[in-house]
Coordinates of all heavy atoms in Angstrom, one line a residue:
Q1 N 53.4 40.5 40.6 CA 53.5 39.8 41.8 C 52.1 39.6 42.4 O 51.3 40.6 42.3 CB 54.3 40.5 42.9 CG 55.8 40.7 42.5 CD 56.5 41.6 43.4 OE1 57.1 42.6 43.0 NE2 56.5 41.2 44.7
T2 N 51.8 38.5 42.9 CA 50.4 38.2 43.4 C 50.5 37.8 44.9 O 51.3 37.0 45.2 CB 49.8 37.1 42.6 OG1 49.7 37.5 41.2 CG2 48.4 36.8 43.1
A3 N 49.7 38.5 45.7 CA 49.6 38.1 47.1 C 48.5 37.0 47.2 O 47.3 37.3 47.1 CB 49.3 39.2 48.0
A4 N 48.9 35.7 47.2 CA 47.9 34.6 47.1 C 47.2 34.3 48.5 O 46.1 33.8 48.4 CB 48.6 33.4 46.6
V5 N 47.9 34.6 49.6 CA 47.3 34.2 50.9 C 47.2 35.5 51.8 O 48.2 36.2 51.9 CB 48.2 33.1 51.6 CG1 47.6 32.8 52.9 CG2 48.3 31.9 50.7
I6 N 46.1 35.7 52.4 CA 45.9 36.9 53.2 C 46.8 36.8 54.5 O 47.1 35.7 54.9 CB 44.4 37.1 53.6 CG1 43.9 36.0 54.5 CG2 43.6 37.3 52.3 CD1 42.5 36.4 55.1
N7 N 47.1 37.9 55.1 CA 47.9 38.0 56.3 C 49.2 37.3 56.2 O 49.7 36.7 57.1 CB 47.1 37.5 57.5 CG 45.8 38.3 57.7 OD1 45.8 39.5 57.5 ND2 44.7 37.6 58.1
T8 N 49.8 37.4 55.0 CA 51.1 36.7 54.7 C 52.0 37.8 54.1 O 51.7 38.5 53.2 CB 50.9 35.5 53.8 OG1 50.0 34.6 54.3 CG2 52.2 34.9 53.5
A9 N 53.3 37.9 54.6 CA 54.2 38.8 54.1 C 54.9 38.3 52.8 O 55.2 37.1 52.8 CB 55.3 39.1 55.2
Y10 N 55.0 39.1 51.9 CA 55.7 38.8 50.6 C 56.8 39.8 50.3 O 56.6 41.0 50.6 CB 54.7 38.8 49.4 CG 53.7 37.7 49.5 CD1 52.5 37.9 50.1 CD2 53.9 36.5 48.9 CE1 51.5 36.9 50.2 CE2 53.0 35.5 49.0 CZ 51.8 35.7 49.6 OH 50.8 34.7 49.6
D11 N 57.9 39.4 49.8 CA 58.9 40.3 49.4 C 58.5 41.1 48.1 O 57.9 40.5 47.3 CB 60.3 39.6 49.0 CG 60.9 38.9 50.3 OD1 60.7 39.5 51.4 OD2 61.5 37.9 50.1
V12 N 58.8 42.4 48.1 CA 58.6 43.1 46.9 C 59.9 42.9 46.0 O 61.0 43.0 46.5 CB 58.5 44.6 47.2 CG1 58.5 45.4 45.9 CG2 57.2 44.9 48.0
T13 N 59.7 42.5 44.8 CA 60.8 42.2 43.9 C 60.9 43.4 43.0 O 59.9 44.1 42.6 CB 60.6 40.9 43.1 OG1 59.4 41.0 42.4 CG2 60.6 39.7 44.0
Y14 N 62.1 43.7 42.6 CA 62.5 44.8 41.7 C 62.9 44.4 40.3 O 63.6 43.4 40.2 CB 63.6 45.6 42.3 CG 63.3 46.1 43.7 CD1 63.7 45.4 44.8 CD2 62.7 47.3 43.9 CE1 63.4 45.9 46.1 CE2 62.4 47.8 45.2 CZ 62.7 47.1 46.3 OH 62.5 47.5 47.5
N15 N 62.4 45.1 39.3 CA 62.8 44.8 37.9 C 64.1 45.4 37.6 O 64.8 44.8 36.7 CB 61.7 45.3 37.0 CG 60.4 44.7 37.2 OD1 60.3 43.5 37.6 ND2 59.3 45.4 36.9
N16 N 64.5 46.5 38.1 CA 65.8 47.1 37.8 C 66.1 48.1 38.9 O 65.3 48.5 39.7 CB 65.7 47.8 36.4 CG 64.7 48.9 36.3 OD1 64.5 49.7 37.2 ND2 64.0 48.9 35.2
V17 N 67.4 48.6 38.8 CA 67.9 49.6 39.7 C 68.3 50.8 38.8 O 69.0 50.7 37.8 CB 69.1 49.1 40.4 CG1 69.7 50.2 41.3 CG2 68.7 47.9 41.3
Y18 N 67.9 52.0 39.2 CA 68.1 53.2 38.4 C 69.6 53.5 38.4 O 70.2 53.8 37.4 CB 67.3 54.3 38.9 CG 67.4 55.6 38.0 CD1 66.9 55.5 36.7 CD2 67.9 56.7 38.5 CE1 67.0 56.7 35.9 CE2 68.0 57.8 37.7 CZ 67.5 57.8 36.4 OH 67.6 58.9 35.6
F19 N 70.2 53.6 39.6 CA 71.7 53.8 39.7 C 72.3 52.6 40.4 O 71.8 52.1 41.4 CB 72.0 55.0 40.6 CG 71.6 56.3 40.0 CD1 70.6 57.1 40.5 CD2 72.3 56.8 38.8 CE1 70.3 58.3 39.9 CE2 72.0 58.0 38.3 CZ 71.0 58.8 38.8
E20 N 73.3 52.0 39.8 CA 73.9 50.8 40.3 C 75.3 51.2 41.0 O 76.1 50.3 41.3 CB 74.1 49.8 39.3 CG 72.8 49.3 38.8 CD 72.9 48.1 37.8 OE1 73.8 47.3 38.0 OE2 72.1 48.0 36.9
N21 N 75.6 52.4 41.2 CA 76.8 52.8 41.8 C 76.8 52.6 43.3 O 76.0 53.1 44.0 CB 77.0 54.3 41.5 CG 78.5 54.7 41.5 OD1 79.4 53.9 41.5 ND2 78.7 56.0 41.5
E22 N 77.7 51.7 43.7 CA 77.9 51.4 45.1 C 76.8 50.5 45.7 O 76.7 50.4 46.9 CB 78.0 52.7 46.0 CG 79.2 53.6 45.6 CD 80.5 53.0 45.7 OE1 80.8 52.0 46.5 OE2 81.4 53.4 44.9
L23 N 76.0 49.9 44.9 CA 75.0 48.9 45.4 C 74.8 47.8 44.4 O 75.2 47.8 43.3 CB 73.7 49.6 45.7 CG 72.9 50.2 44.6 CD1 72.0 49.2 43.9 CD2 72.0 51.3 45.1
T24 N 74.3 46.7 45.0 CA 74.1 45.5 44.3 C 72.7 45.0 44.5 O 72.2 45.0 45.7 CB 75.1 44.4 44.7 OG1 76.4 44.9 44.5 CG2 74.9 43.1 43.8
L25 N 72.0 44.6 43.5 CA 70.7 44.0 43.7 C 70.8 42.5 43.5 O 71.3 42.0 42.5 CB 69.7 44.5 42.6 CG 68.3 44.0 42.6 CD1 67.6 44.4 43.8 CD2 67.5 44.5 41.3
T26 N 70.4 41.7 44.6 CA 70.5 40.3 44.6 C 69.1 39.6 44.6 O 68.3 40.1 45.4 CB 71.3 39.8 45.8 OG1 72.6 40.5 45.8 CG2 71.5 38.3 45.8
N27 N 68.9 38.6 43.8 CA 67.6 37.9 43.8 C 66.4 38.8 43.5 O 65.3 38.5 43.9 CB 67.4 37.1 45.1 CG 68.4 36.1 45.4 OD1 69.0 35.5 44.5 ND2 68.8 36.0 46.7
N28 N 66.7 39.9 42.9 CA 65.7 40.9 42.5 C 64.9 41.5 43.8 O 63.8 42.0 43.6 CB 64.6 40.4 41.5 CG 65.2 40.3 40.2 OD1 66.4 40.7 39.9 ND2 64.5 39.7 39.2
K29 N 65.5 41.3 45.0 CA 64.8 41.7 46.2 C 65.7 42.2 47.3 O 65.2 43.0 48.1 CB 63.8 40.7 46.7 CG 64.6 39.4 47.2 CD 63.6 38.4 47.7 CE 64.4 37.2 48.2 NZ 63.5 36.2 48.8
E30 N 66.9 41.9 47.2 CA 67.9 42.3 48.3 C 68.8 43.3 47.7 O 69.5 43.1 46.7 CB 68.6 41.1 48.8 CG 67.7 40.1 49.5 CD 68.4 38.8 49.7 OE1 69.5 38.5 49.3 OE2 67.8 37.9 50.4
I31 N 68.9 44.5 48.4 CA 69.8 45.6 48.0 C 70.9 45.7 49.0 O 70.7 45.9 50.2 CB 69.0 46.9 47.9 CG1 67.8 46.8 47.0 CG2 69.9 48.1 47.5 CD1 66.8 47.9 47.0
Y32 N 72.1 45.5 48.4 CA 73.3 45.7 49.3 C 74.1 46.9 48.9 O 74.3 47.1 47.7 CB 74.2 44.4 49.1 CG 73.6 43.1 49.6 CD1 72.9 42.3 48.8 CD2 73.7 42.8 51.0 CE1 72.3 41.1 49.3 CE2 73.2 41.7 51.5 CZ 72.5 40.8 50.6 OH 71.9 39.7 51.1
V33 N 74.6 47.7 49.9 CA 75.4 48.8 49.6 C 76.8 48.6 50.0 O 77.0 47.8 51.0 CB 74.8 50.1 50.2 CG1 73.4 50.4 49.7 CG2 74.7 50.0 51.7
T34 N 77.8 49.2 49.4 CA 79.2 48.9 49.7 C 79.8 50.0 50.5 O 80.9 49.8 51.1 CB 80.0 48.8 48.4 OG1 79.8 49.9 47.6 CG2 79.5 47.6 47.6
R35 N 79.1 51.1 50.7 CA 79.6 52.2 51.5 C 78.6 52.7 52.5 O 77.4 52.7 52.2 CB 80.0 53.4 50.6 CG 81.2 53.2 49.8 CD 81.6 54.5 49.1 NE 82.7 54.2 48.2 CZ 83.4 55.2 47.7 NH1 83.1 56.4 47.9 NH2 84.4 54.9 46.9
S36 N 79.0 53.0 53.7 CA 78.1 53.5 54.7 C 77.6 54.9 54.3 O 78.3 55.6 53.6 CB 78.7 53.5 56.1 OG 79.8 54.4 56.1
G37 N 76.4 55.3 54.7 CA 75.9 56.6 54.4 C 74.4 56.5 54.5 O 73.8 55.6 55.0
I38 N 73.8 57.6 54.1 CA 72.3 57.7 54.1 C 71.9 57.5 52.6 O 72.3 58.3 51.8 CB 71.8 59.0 54.7 CG1 72.2 59.1 56.2 CG2 70.3 59.1 54.6 CD1 71.9 60.4 56.8
Y39 N 71.0 56.6 52.4 CA 70.6 56.3 51.0 C 69.1 56.6 50.9 O 68.3 56.4 51.8 CB 70.8 54.8 50.7 CG 72.2 54.5 50.5 CD1 73.1 54.2 51.6 CD2 72.8 54.4 49.2 CE1 74.4 53.9 51.4 CE2 74.1 54.1 49.0 CZ 74.9 53.9 50.1 OH 76.2 53.6 49.9
N40 N 68.7 57.1 49.7 CA 67.3 57.5 49.4 C 66.8 56.4 48.5 O 67.4 56.1 47.4 CB 67.2 58.8 48.7 CG 65.8 59.1 48.3 OD1 65.5 58.9 47.2 ND2 65.0 59.6 49.3
F41 N 65.7 55.7 48.9 CA 65.1 54.7 48.1 C 63.7 55.2 47.6 O 63.0 55.9 48.4 CB 64.9 53.4 48.8 CG 66.2 52.7 49.1 CD1 66.9 53.0 50.3 CD2 66.8 51.8 48.2 CE1 68.1 52.3 50.5 CE2 68.0 51.2 48.4 CZ 68.6 51.5 49.6
Q42 N 63.3 54.9 46.4 CA 62.0 55.2 45.9 C 61.3 54.0 45.3 O 61.9 53.2 44.6 CB 62.2 56.3 44.8 CG 62.8 57.6 45.3 CD 63.2 58.5 44.2 OE1 62.6 58.5 43.2 NE2 64.1 59.4 44.5
L43 N 60.1 53.9 45.7 CA 59.3 52.7 45.2 C 58.1 53.3 44.5 O 57.3 54.1 45.1 CB 58.8 51.9 46.4 CG 57.8 50.8 46.1 CD1 58.4 49.7 45.2 CD2 57.2 50.2 47.4
S44 N 57.8 52.8 43.3 CA 56.6 53.1 42.5 C 56.0 51.8 42.2 O 56.7 50.9 41.6 CB 57.0 53.9 41.3 OG 57.5 55.2 41.6
A45 N 54.7 51.7 42.5 CA 54.0 50.4 42.2 C 52.6 50.7 42.1 O 52.1 51.8 42.4 CB 54.3 49.4 43.4
Q46 N 51.8 49.6 41.7 CA 50.4 49.7 41.7 C 49.8 48.5 42.4 O 50.4 47.4 42.2 CB 49.9 49.7 40.2 CG 50.1 51.0 39.5 CD 49.5 50.9 38.1 OE1 49.3 49.8 37.6 NE2 49.3 52.1 37.5
L47 N 48.7 48.6 43.1 CA 48.0 47.5 43.6 C 46.7 47.4 42.8 O 46.1 48.4 42.4 CB 47.6 47.8 45.1 CG 48.7 47.9 46.1 CD1 48.1 48.2 47.5 CD2 49.5 46.6 46.1
K48 N 46.3 46.2 42.4 CA 45.1 46.0 41.6 C 44.2 45.0 42.3 O 44.7 44.0 42.8 CB 45.4 45.5 40.2 CG 44.2 45.3 39.4 CD 44.5 44.7 38.0 CE 43.2 44.4 37.2 NZ 43.5 43.7 36.0
S49 N 42.9 45.3 42.4 CA 41.9 44.4 43.0 C 41.4 43.5 42.0 O 41.2 43.8 40.8 CB 40.8 45.3 43.6 OG 39.8 44.4 44.0
S50 N 41.2 42.2 42.4 CA 40.6 41.2 41.5 C 39.2 40.8 42.0 O 38.7 39.8 41.5 CB 41.5 40.0 41.4 OG 41.7 39.4 42.7
S51 N 38.6 41.6 43.0 CA 37.3 41.3 43.4 C 36.6 42.6 44.0 O 37.3 43.6 44.1 CB 37.2 40.2 44.5 OG 37.8 40.7 45.7
A52 N 35.4 42.6 44.2 CA 34.7 43.8 44.6 C 34.9 44.2 46.1 O 34.6 45.3 46.5 CB 33.2 43.6 44.4
S53 N 35.4 43.2 46.9 CA 35.6 43.6 48.3 C 36.9 44.4 48.5 O 37.8 44.3 47.7 CB 35.7 42.3 49.1 OG 36.8 41.5 48.7
D54 N 36.9 45.2 49.6 CA 38.0 46.1 49.9 C 39.2 45.2 50.3 O 39.0 44.2 51.0 CB 37.7 47.0 51.0 CG 36.8 48.1 50.6 OD1 36.4 48.2 49.4 OD2 36.4 49.0 51.4
K55 N 40.4 45.6 49.9 CA 41.6 44.9 50.3 C 42.6 45.9 50.8 O 42.8 46.9 50.1 CB 42.2 44.0 49.2 CG 41.4 42.7 49.0 CD 41.4 42.3 47.6 CE 40.7 43.0 46.6 NZ 39.3 43.4 46.7
T56 N 43.3 45.6 51.9 CA 44.3 46.5 52.4 C 45.6 45.8 52.4 O 45.8 44.7 52.9 CB 44.0 47.0 53.8 OG1 42.7 47.7 53.8 CG2 45.1 47.9 54.3
A57 N 46.6 46.5 51.8 CA 48.0 45.9 51.8 C 48.9 46.8 52.6 O 48.8 48.1 52.5 CB 48.5 45.9 50.3
E58 N 49.7 46.3 53.4 CA 50.7 47.0 54.2 C 52.1 46.8 53.7 O 52.4 45.6 53.4 CB 50.6 46.6 55.7 CG 49.3 47.0 56.3 CD 49.3 46.7 57.8 OE1 50.3 46.5 58.4 OE2 48.2 46.7 58.4
I59 N 52.8 47.8 53.5 CA 54.2 47.7 53.0 C 55.1 48.3 54.0 O 54.8 49.4 54.5 CB 54.3 48.4 51.6 CG1 53.4 47.8 50.6 CG2 55.8 48.4 51.1 CD1 53.4 48.5 49.3
W60 N 56.2 47.6 54.3 CA 57.2 48.2 55.3 C 58.6 47.8 54.9 O 58.8 47.0 54.0 CB 56.8 47.7 56.7 CG 56.9 46.2 56.9 CD1 58.0 45.5 57.3 CD2 55.9 45.2 56.7 NE1 57.7 44.1 57.3 CE2 56.4 44.0 56.9 CE3 54.6 45.3 56.3 CZ2 55.7 42.8 56.8 CZ3 53.8 44.2 56.1 CH2 54.4 42.9 56.4
I61 N 59.5 48.4 55.5 CA 60.9 48.2 55.3 C 61.5 47.1 56.2 O 61.2 47.1 57.4 CB 61.7 49.5 55.5 CG1 61.2 50.6 54.6 CG2 63.2 49.3 55.2 CD1 61.7 52.0 55.0
N62 N 62.2 46.2 55.6 CA 62.9 45.1 56.3 C 64.4 45.3 56.1 O 64.8 45.3 54.9 CB 62.4 43.8 55.9 CG 63.0 42.7 56.7 OD1 64.2 42.4 56.5 ND2 62.3 42.0 57.5
R63 N 65.1 45.5 57.1 CA 66.6 45.7 57.0 C 67.3 44.6 57.7 O 67.1 44.4 58.9 CB 66.9 47.1 57.6 CG 68.4 47.4 57.6 CD 68.7 48.7 58.2 NE 70.1 48.9 58.4 CZ 70.6 50.0 58.9 NH1 69.8 51.0 59.2 NH2 71.9 50.1 59.0
D64 N 68.1 43.9 57.0 CA 68.9 42.8 57.6 C 68.1 41.8 58.3 O 68.4 41.3 59.4 CB 70.0 43.3 58.5 CG 71.0 44.2 57.8 OD1 71.3 44.0 56.6 OD2 71.5 45.2 58.4
G65 N 66.9 41.5 57.8 CA 66.0 40.5 58.4 C 65.1 41.0 59.5 O 64.4 40.3 60.1
T66 N 65.2 42.3 59.8 CA 64.4 42.9 60.9 C 63.5 44.0 60.3 O 64.0 44.9 59.6 CB 65.3 43.5 62.0 OG1 66.1 42.5 62.5 CG2 64.5 44.1 63.1
D67 N 62.2 44.0 60.7 CA 61.3 45.0 60.2 C 61.7 46.3 60.9 O 62.0 46.4 62.1 CB 59.9 44.6 60.6 CG 59.4 43.4 59.8 OD1 60.0 43.1 58.8 OD2 58.4 42.8 60.3
V68 N 61.7 47.4 60.1 CA 62.0 48.7 60.6 C 60.7 49.3 61.2 O 59.7 49.4 60.6 CB 62.6 49.6 59.5 CG1 62.8 51.1 60.0 CG2 63.9 49.1 59.0
G69 N 60.8 49.7 62.5 CA 59.7 50.2 63.2 C 59.2 51.5 62.6 O 60.0 52.3 62.1
Y70 N 57.9 51.7 62.6 CA 57.2 52.9 62.1 C 57.4 53.1 60.6 O 57.3 54.2 60.2 CB 57.7 54.1 62.9 CG 57.5 54.0 64.4 CD1 58.6 53.8 65.2 CD2 56.2 54.0 65.0 CE1 58.4 53.6 66.6 CE2 56.0 53.8 66.3 CZ 57.1 53.6 67.1 OH 57.0 53.5 68.5
S71 N 57.8 52.1 59.9 CA 58.0 52.2 58.5 C 56.8 51.7 57.6 O 56.8 51.9 56.4 CB 59.2 51.5 58.0 OG 59.1 50.1 58.1
A72 N 55.8 51.2 58.3 CA 54.6 50.6 57.5 C 53.7 51.7 57.0 O 53.5 52.7 57.6 CB 53.9 49.7 58.4
H73 N 53.2 51.4 55.8 CA 52.2 52.2 55.1 C 51.1 51.3 54.6 O 51.4 50.2 54.1 CB 52.8 52.9 53.9 CG 53.8 54.0 54.2 ND1 55.0 53.8 54.7 CD2 53.6 55.3 54.0 CE1 55.6 54.9 54.9 NE2 54.8 55.9 54.5
A74 N 49.9 51.7 54.8 CA 48.7 50.9 54.4 C 48.0 51.5 53.2 O 47.9 52.7 53.2 CB 47.7 50.7 55.6
Y75 N 47.6 50.6 52.3 CA 47.0 51.1 51.1 C 45.7 50.2 50.9 O 45.9 49.0 50.9 CB 47.9 50.9 49.9 CG 49.2 51.7 50.0 CD1 50.3 51.1 50.6 CD2 49.3 53.0 49.6 CE1 51.5 51.8 50.7 CE2 50.4 53.8 49.7 CZ 51.5 53.2 50.3 OH 52.7 53.9 50.4
T76 N 44.6 50.8 50.6 CA 43.4 50.1 50.4 C 42.9 50.2 49.0 O 42.8 51.3 48.5 CB 42.3 50.5 51.4 OG1 42.7 50.4 52.7 CG2 41.0 49.7 51.2
V77 N 42.5 49.1 48.4 CA 42.0 49.0 47.0 C 40.5 48.7 47.1 O 40.1 47.8 47.8 CB 42.7 47.9 46.2 CG1 42.2 48.0 44.8 CG2 44.2 48.1 46.2
H78 N 39.7 49.5 46.4 CA 38.2 49.3 46.4 C 37.8 48.9 45.0 O 38.5 49.2 44.0 CB 37.5 50.6 46.8 CG 38.0 51.2 48.0 ND1 37.6 50.8 49.3 CD2 38.8 52.3 48.2 CE1 38.2 51.6 50.2 NE2 38.9 52.5 49.5
D79 N 36.8 48.1 44.9 CA 36.2 47.8 43.6 C 37.0 46.8 42.8 O 38.2 46.9 42.7 CB 35.8 49.0 42.8 CG 34.9 50.0 43.6 OD1 34.0 49.5 44.3 OD2 35.1 51.2 43.4
N80 N 36.3 45.9 42.1 CA 36.9 45.0 41.2 C 37.6 45.7 40.0 O 37.0 46.6 39.4 CB 35.9 44.0 40.6 CG 36.5 42.9 39.9 OD1 37.6 42.5 40.1 ND2 35.7 42.3 39.0
G81 N 38.9 45.4 39.8 CA 39.6 46.0 38.7 C 40.2 47.3 39.0 O 40.9 47.9 38.1
A82 N 40.0 47.8 40.2 CA 40.5 49.1 40.6 C 42.0 49.1 40.9 O 42.5 48.0 41.3 CB 39.7 49.7 41.8
Y83 N 42.7 50.2 40.7 CA 44.1 50.3 41.0 C 44.3 51.4 42.1 O 43.6 52.3 42.2 CB 44.9 50.8 39.7 CG 45.0 49.8 38.7 CD1 44.0 49.7 37.7 CD2 46.1 48.9 38.6 CE1 44.1 48.7 36.7 CE2 46.2 48.0 37.6 CZ 45.2 47.9 36.6 OH 45.3 47.0 35.6
V84 N 45.4 51.2 42.8 CA 45.9 52.2 43.8 C 47.4 52.4 43.5 O 48.1 51.4 43.4 CB 45.7 51.8 45.2 CG1 46.4 52.7 46.2 CG2 44.2 51.8 45.6
A85 N 47.8 53.7 43.3 CA 49.2 53.9 43.0 C 49.9 54.1 44.3 O 49.4 54.7 45.3 CB 49.3 55.2 42.2
I86 N 51.1 53.5 44.3 CA 52.0 53.6 45.5 C 53.3 54.4 45.0 O 53.9 54.0 44.1 CB 52.4 52.3 46.0 CG1 51.2 51.5 46.5 CG2 53.5 52.4 47.1 CD1 51.5 50.1 46.9
N87 N 53.5 55.5 45.7 CA 54.8 56.2 45.4 C 55.4 56.5 46.8 O 54.8 57.3 47.6 CB 54.5 57.5 44.7 CG 54.0 57.2 43.3 OD1 54.7 56.7 42.5 ND2 52.8 57.6 43.0
W88 N 56.5 55.9 47.1 CA 57.0 55.9 48.4 C 58.5 56.3 48.3 O 59.3 55.7 47.6 CB 56.9 54.6 49.1 CG 57.1 54.5 50.6 CD1 57.3 55.6 51.4 CD2 57.3 53.3 51.3 NE1 57.6 55.1 52.7 CE2 57.5 53.7 52.7 CE3 57.2 52.0 51.0 CZ2 57.7 52.8 53.7 CZ3 57.4 51.1 52.1 CH2 57.7 51.5 53.4
N89 N 58.9 57.3 49.1 CA 60.3 57.8 49.1 C 60.8 57.7 50.5 O 60.1 58.3 51.4 CB 60.2 59.2 48.5 CG 61.6 59.8 48.4 OD1 62.6 59.2 48.5 ND2 61.6 61.1 48.1
F90 N 61.9 57.1 50.8 CA 62.4 57.0 52.2 C 63.9 57.0 52.2 O 64.5 56.6 51.2 CB 61.8 55.8 52.9 CG 62.1 54.4 52.2 CD1 63.2 53.7 52.6 CD2 61.3 53.9 51.3 CE1 63.5 52.5 52.0 CE2 61.6 52.7 50.7 CZ 62.7 52.0 51.1
N91 N 64.4 57.4 53.3 CA 65.9 57.4 53.5 C 66.2 56.4 54.6 O 65.4 56.2 55.6 CB 66.3 58.8 54.0 CG 66.2 59.9 53.0 OD1 66.3 59.6 51.8 ND2 65.8 61.0 53.4
I92 N 67.3 55.7 54.4 CA 67.8 54.7 55.4 C 69.3 54.7 55.4 O 69.9 54.9 54.4 CB 67.2 53.3 55.1 CG1 67.4 52.4 56.3 CG2 67.7 52.8 53.8 CD1 66.5 51.2 56.3
D93 N 69.9 54.6 56.6 CA 71.3 54.6 56.7 C 71.9 53.1 56.7 O 71.1 52.2 56.9 CB 71.8 55.3 58.0 CG 71.3 54.6 59.2 OD1 70.4 53.7 59.2 OD2 71.8 54.9 60.3

């Protein structure tokens, strides 16, 4: 996935779901659950820089079209060709 325009939100798309019990992945970006409860989600990703200037990406949770308050995380990539690993684990009801 490429963020082509600065200060623009992009959906994170998923390649697969580890457990598909009681949930459905739609359009590779929308996760629907069939039972109420508290669910644990885990995101593993990498950010890669394509230039020497610093770039900061913010990732947050959006639930039913509304951004979840206090869920944002900021990640900064330095140097051309550099990577930053993202490992994020969160619970949501």
Side-chain angles (χ1 to χ4, degrees):
Q1 297 173 237
T2 300
V5 180
I6 65 169
N7 300 322
T8 302
Y10 293 91
D11 293 328
V12 172
T13 58
Y14 300 93
N15 296 332
N16 60 42
V17 177
Y18 187 66
F19 289 114
E20 294 185 35
N21 205 11
E22 304 298 333
L23 63 87
T24 304
L25 180 63
T26 305
N27 300 324
N28 287 355
K29 63 181 180 177
E30 298 169 348
I31 301 169
Y32 293 94
V33 297
T34 57
R35 291 189 183 191
S36 62
I38 298 174
Y39 288 83
N40 176 263
F41 291 92
Q42 299 172 22
L43 171 68
S44 296
Q46 290 182 340
L47 297 177
K48 180 183 178 187
S49 173
S50 60
S51 69
S53 60
D54 289 355
K55 282 151 289 309
T56 299
E58 293 183 18
I59 300 174
W60 62 91
I61 302 165
N62 183 288
R63 178 180 171 178
D64 298 328
T66 302
D67 297 338
V68 174
Y70 306 105
S71 69
H73 289 71
Y75 302 90
T76 301
V77 184
H78 309 281
D79 302 323
N80 188 25
Y83 289 89
V84 169
I86 297 171
N87 295 296
W88 191 12
N89 185 9
F90 59 92
N91 296 323
I92 193 165
D93 63 345

